[in-house]
Amino acid sequence: MQQFTGSEAEVDLSLTARAEGGRTVIEVAGEIDVYTAPKLREKIAALVDEGVYDLVIDLERVEFLDSTGLGVLVGGLKRVRTHDGSLSLVCTQERLLKIFRITGLTKVFDIHPDIASAV
């Protein structure tokens, strides 16, 4: 057990937001799981509270995504849609795309191969 003690502290989620092409791009890096997903949820909520309703979430540097992370993305989509906004994803990683396909979320989200096509 000793070898696992620091693993949760080392795994982190980095979020950066910037305006691009009339939308706000949130670059996500790291793992989106039960421990880190609240950070993403808070970022989306803060942007919506500031009146930002058209979001692009860049998942290109995400190493892991679990059901909690999926829930945050779906919740973010619902949140922006209540303001007639949109939430698109940028993702080319097959292991993440497979999760979206298995869960049927490819029908829910607009998933783009790059930021240029998302904005």
Side-chain angles (χ1 to χ4, degrees):
M1 285 192 126
Q2 194 78 5
Q3 66 194 42
F4 297 113
T5 38
S7 64
E8 287 173 12
E10 293 166 19
V11 174
D12 198 15
L13 187 68
S14 112
L15 301 171
T16 53
R18 69 177 190 280
E20 187 169 323
R23 302 189 73 188
T24 298
V25 176
I26 302 173
E27 283 184 28
V28 186
E31 298 187 3
I32 308 173
D33 59 20
V34 69
Y35 301 105
T36 61
K39 189 174 175 182
L40 179 58
R41 179 184 299 116
E42 290 163 13
K43 183 67 172 176
I44 293 169
L47 287 167
V48 171
D49 290 347
E50 292 169 14
V52 177
Y53 307 129
D54 291 305
L55 301 176
V56 174
I57 300 187
D58 182 356
L59 300 174
E60 285 302 283
R61 293 174 48 218
V62 170
E63 297 155 21
F64 177 80
L65 176 67
D66 73 0
S67 59
T68 308
L70 287 175
V72 167
L73 294 173
V74 170
L77 180 63
K78 288 179 180 177
R79 192 180 286 249
V80 296
R81 281 188 175 167
T82 62
H83 299 280
D84 295 322
S86 63
L87 188 150
S88 300
L89 305 176
V90 172
C91 182
T92 59
Q93 296 182 57
E94 188 53 40
R95 69 180 182 278
L96 295 183
L97 291 170
K98 186 176 182 180
I99 294 168
F100 288 107
R101 281 195 296 272
I102 289 170
T103 56
L105 290 174
T106 52
K107 296 176 181 78
V108 176
F109 288 104
D110 290 327
I111 302 176
H112 301 272
D114 52 46
I115 290 173
S117 64
V119 295

